[in-house]
Amino acid sequence: MAMIEIEGLRKEYRRVRGRRTVAVDGLDLSVPEGGVFGFLGPNGAGKTTTIRCLLGLVRPSSGRLSLLGADVGDELPRVIARVGSIVEAPAMFPRFSGRRNLEILARIHGEGDAAIEASLERVGLRDRAKDPVKAYSLGMKQRLAIAATLLRDPSLLILDEPANGLDPAGIVEVRELLRSLGAEGRTIFVSSHILSEVQQTADHVAIVAKGRLIKAGPVNEVLATTGGSGVIVKLGDLEAGRRALADANIPATIEAGAIRADVPPDQSERISRTLAEARLFVTELRPDTVDLETVFLELTKDQGVGD
Amino acid sequence: MRLLRSEFLRARSRRLVPMVLIGGLIGITIGMGIVAFTAEKPSATQIAEAQASFDQQVARCERNVERSQTSVIGSSPEAYCEREWSPPVDAVFLRDLDAVLQGTATFVILLAVFLGASLGGADWTSNTMQTLLTWEPRRFRVFLVRALVVAVCVFAITVFLQLVFSAVTDVVARTRGSAAFLPSDFWRSVLLTIGRVSVMSTALALIAFAISMIGRSTVAALGALFGYLIVVEAVIAGFRPSLQGNMLLRAAIVVITHQPIFDPTAFDSTGSALLLDVPKAWGIVGIYTLLIGLLGILIFRRRDVT
């Protein structure tokens, strides 16, 4: 069963003087069970609107959405207890303590103190639970929001830009948390415009731009979209190195002060041995992999993204 | 029930609730402290003279009521006449408590409206409504439960503050004034006034709450409600006096004082024409509360939460 199923989602916002803004334009998406699913796109791509539609906060103009097999329009209350979510910035009462904020939410589904303690422990906020939320750093607020989502022991987590505004240490914390939650068998649907961040945690990704789906699939498949990877080699005599590799049937070109060998990174040993036999010794040997950012820019170059 | 418990915890955790309670208690303490400090206890002679005047006036009043067959709303002719008389002594009399409670109703209602608007609007300001709806997506239920919490909180707080005020007045009157000349139905009348003021406060708090859910802001709710009561109703009353009988502010006054109001510009065979009687005033308050509440629910259910 797909944890999230979206078919032909369209959302228009009416603006002043009858003008309309299309936030999501016929989006189709299927999120499989388990693991981390990255929902990628630049600011204004329609990610948050899609998430709001999924959670029943926003009424779609057209299209069909289901969460955990339940139709969002009619059956959302039936499954909402199994869904944890954060939409945009974590929204908590700033003058209440972290614990009080969790208590208020926990009571809605009858969760007790044990669930609150476990959630606080999980995100490392137990020592600061009595402090007012307004005294928390952004990273702590984000962790508190994640703790709130964990109160219900959800099988699906929908997190909108969870690393937004965090410092590097906070980003690492959130990344580790997402990894561990995904490893527990939960499905984590995480939207982000920080592509490098998602690449490190996601198993599957979907790339959206201007409210439309551009590409979706396992990360490796999406990365392969723009061509294969290679190996970058640096050494003293680049031309001699290129010839030696060509003699060994390894296609190579000289680019930007280095040799780029068009073979998968797992053949680095062959490159190293070939050059050593020609008495050429490498100073640097590294895989030239394509990252999500490159793929994203390649896939969206016709969409006017970033104009 | 779970949502109700959560909403009560949320309301209880707001600083506004203890602030209203403490502010009210401080106000009562300071106000009654000044009254006690400046009051002089009437002498036994003054009370005796006033008692003689009281007995004569009440007897005369009762005869007039019987002769004219005037209907007395909500009390016996005796109690009515006892209330109509004022002791000719400058002192703090416990018998004035009922009238003072009606006078302080404006302040009590202001507190209630502020509470109602804030309990609805705060979630929009801090964006926690979005969080709440991702836990309980049934918006009709969210609205009703919160309205219930607003009603219970406002009613309890306003009753409590008025009871405290009444108790303090009783102590001050007995020590620094007089508890004489109490009408026979005095405490019943005081309790009914407290009840009417609290019900009226609750109704206006619910209206403020509904407007805050429509405007998604405490300030917008306060502005819209007071703007309507102070400006719109005043304009309508000025240009279309015959419509005054349908206005919320007039209805609130009638409910609290439990006295009808008459149209000074229109006359019938018995004198000034009746503009708004007590049952109709209750009905108008109920209709306003219900209609604005329904509008709040409709808009809350339909509008996107972004």
Side-chain angles (χ1 to χ4, degrees), chain B residues 151-219:
Chain B
V152 170
C153 287
V154 168
F155 189 79
I157 288 171
T158 52
V159 165
F160 172 75
L161 286 177
Q162 290 181 98
L163 284 176
V164 169
F165 178 73
S166 301
V168 173
T169 303
D170 183 69
V171 172
V172 170
R174 286 177 198 281
T175 54
R176 302 286 296 160
S178 171
F181 315 118
L182 292 184
S184 52
D185 64 350
F186 174 73
W187 285 111
R188 176 179 166 272
S189 176
V190 164
L191 288 177
L192 285 175
T193 300
I194 289 173
R196 288 196 307 272
V197 170
S198 290
V199 170
M200 196 62 232
S201 302
T202 304
L204 282 167
L206 285 172
I207 289 173
F209 162 73
I211 298 174
S212 76
M213 295 292 275
I214 295 169
R216 300 184 171 189
S217 152
T218 305
V219 176

Side-chain angles (χ1 to χ4, degrees), chain A residues 173-228:
Chain A
E173 277 179 30
V174 170
R175 186 195 304 155
E176 294 303 322
L177 196 54
L178 294 188
R179 273 187 187 145
S180 67
L181 291 170
E184 290 168 3
R186 304 177 206 269
T187 306
I188 319 288
F189 181 79
V190 54
S191 87
S192 181
H193 67 277
I194 307 171
L195 307 183
S196 57
E197 185 52 40
V198 173
Q199 190 175 347
Q200 295 182 58
T201 49
D203 311 302
H204 290 73
V205 290
I207 296 175
V208 289
K210 294 195 167 179
R212 297 192 198 102
L213 181 69
I214 305 296
K215 185 80 183 171
V219 173
N220 290 339
E221 275 181 26
V222 174
L223 287 174
T225 306
T226 55

Side-chain angles (χ1 to χ4, degrees), chain A residues 11 52 56-59 77 80 85 87 91-93 95-96 100 104-105 107-110 148 152, chain B residues 2 5-6 9-10 13 15 123 126-128 130-135 137-139 301-302 304-306:
Chain A
K11 177 62 188 176
R52 286 201 167 111
L57 296 170
V58 161
R59 199 181 292 263
I80 198 72
S85 58
V87 186
M92 297 280 173
F93 280 105
R95 290 198 174 93
F96 295 1
R100 178 50 58 92
I104 288 168
L105 293 173
R107 285 195 181 188
I108 297 175
H109 287 287
R152 294 180 280 192
Chain B
R2 288 171 176 171
R5 278 204 294 270
S6 168
L9 179 62
R10 188 191 301 255
S13 306
R15 278 199 313 180
D123 263 311
S126 59
N127 210 23
T128 44
Q130 184 171 270
T131 306
L132 173 61
L133 291 175
T134 60
W135 281 71
R138 287 167 289 197
R139 298 190 189 185
R301 286 194 71 190
R302 284 210 61 83
D304 290 341
V305 176
T306 56

Side-chain angles (χ1 to χ4, degrees), chain B residues 44-56 85 87-89 93 181:
Chain B
T45 315
Q46 285 175 308
I47 294 293
E49 286 171 4
Q51 185 68 54
S53 166
F54 173 71
D55 293 341
Q56 283 177 6
W85 178 79
V89 182
F93 282 98
F181 315 118

Side-chain angles (χ1 to χ4, degrees), chain B residues 225-243:
Chain B
L225 183 56
F226 289 126
Y228 170 75
L229 291 176
I230 295 165
V231 180
V232 178
E233 289 207 345
V235 168
I236 295 171
F239 289 106
R240 304 285 296 160
S242 59
L243 296 178

